[in-house]
């Protein structure tokens, strides 16, 4: 009986790893494409509020620690890999919770997409540039989008859990 209950409580990792893999693939394919097509640090306007703008980020979000001596590459790589292991553990335990698991899958895919950049290039490739007038949001990529969307879903999932509407 205990085996049946624990098996039902946990879920298969396959669908959640599939979501993470899709994020990684879309992220890496878009980075390859923009790296081949765009000139570095040259804006390519697509809308009054949006440019494609190829830049390299050696740090973390908003180029935090981007000018450090190079150690940050390995710290953020280690952090991303460690996060992926923790997320796999959580997915295995809570795979039956769809929103929670989707959120974690998006975060893991985004983290690993940026880890791949750090390992292969020594920096993260960013290219999405939203702006209002002359004020520009820091450039980001598909992996970053996965992380942010996943974080928003985690908050929504927690709000639903606290309110008992899940």
């Amino acid at each position: 009986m205990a085996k049946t209950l624990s098996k039902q409580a946990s879920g298969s990792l396959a669908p959640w790893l599939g979501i993470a893999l899709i994020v990684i693939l879309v992220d890496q394919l878009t980075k390859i494409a923009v790296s081949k097509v765009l000139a570095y640090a040259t804006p390519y306007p697509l809308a009054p509020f949006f440019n494609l703008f190829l830049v390299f980020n050696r740090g973390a979000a908003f180029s935090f620690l981007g000018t450090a001596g190079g150690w940050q590459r390995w710290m953020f790589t280690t952090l991303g890999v460690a996060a992926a292991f923790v997320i796999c553990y959580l997915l295995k335990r809570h795979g039956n919770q769809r929103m929670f698991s989707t959120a974690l899958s998006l975060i893991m895919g985004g983290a690993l997409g940026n880890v791949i950049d750090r390992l292969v290039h020594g920096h993260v490739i960013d290219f999405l540039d939203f702006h209002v007038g002359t004020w520009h949001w820091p450039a980001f990529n598909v992996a970053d989008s996965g992380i942010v969307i996943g974080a928003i879903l985690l908050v929504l999932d927690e709000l639903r859990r606290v309110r008992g509407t899940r």
Side-chain angles (χ1 to χ4, degrees), residues 26-42 44 46 50-56 117 125-128 140-142:
V26 172
D27 177 63
Q28 291 300 303
L29 289 173
T30 57
K31 289 172 179 174
I32 290 167
V34 299
S35 294
K36 290 186 180 295
V37 173
L38 303 181
Y40 184 80
T42 303
Y44 294 87
L46 296 181
F50 177 67
N51 301 321
L52 291 179
F53 186 71
L54 177 63
V55 291
F56 303 142
D117 279 13
I125 298 169
D126 290 327
F127 59 92
L128 301 171
F140 60 99
N141 57 44
V142 172

Side-chain angles (χ1 to χ4, degrees), residues 10 17 26 52 59 74 95 119 123 125 138 146 162:
S10 67
L17 295 179
V26 172
L52 291 179
W74 302 110
L119 292 174
H123 55 259
I125 298 169
V162 167

Side-chain angles (χ1 to χ4, degrees), residues 138-158:
F140 60 99
N141 57 44
V142 172
D144 299 333
S145 300
I147 293 168
V148 169
I149 293 167
I152 291 168
L153 288 176
L154 278 179
V155 170
L156 292 174
D157 183 60
E158 183 61 14

Side-chain angles (χ1 to χ4, degrees), residues 1-101:
M1 181 76 149
K3 281 186 180 180
T4 305
L5 289 177
S6 66
K7 188 159 187 123
Q8 288 175 346
S10 67
S12 171
L13 281 174
W16 311 121
L17 295 179
I19 291 170
L21 182 60
I22 290 168
V23 172
I24 293 168
L25 288 173
V26 172
D27 177 63
Q28 291 300 303
L29 289 173
T30 57
K31 289 172 179 174
I32 290 167
V34 299
S35 294
K36 290 186 180 295
V37 173
L38 303 181
Y40 184 80
T42 303
Y44 294 87
L46 296 181
F49 57 87
F50 177 67
N51 301 321
L52 291 179
F53 186 71
L54 177 63
V55 291
F56 303 142
N57 182 356
R58 298 190 186 292
F62 312 116
S63 295
F64 174 68
L65 295 176
T67 58
W71 59 267
Q72 73 278 20
R73 171 186 182 188
W74 302 110
M75 182 188 76
F76 292 130
T77 297
T78 302
L79 185 61
V81 171
F85 279 111
V86 170
I87 288 171
C88 281
Y89 170 77
L90 291 170
L91 289 171
K92 187 67 179 157
R93 289 193 46 132
H94 304 284
N96 59 337
Q97 298 175 25
R98 286 180 183 250
M99 186 180 292
F100 179 74
S101 296

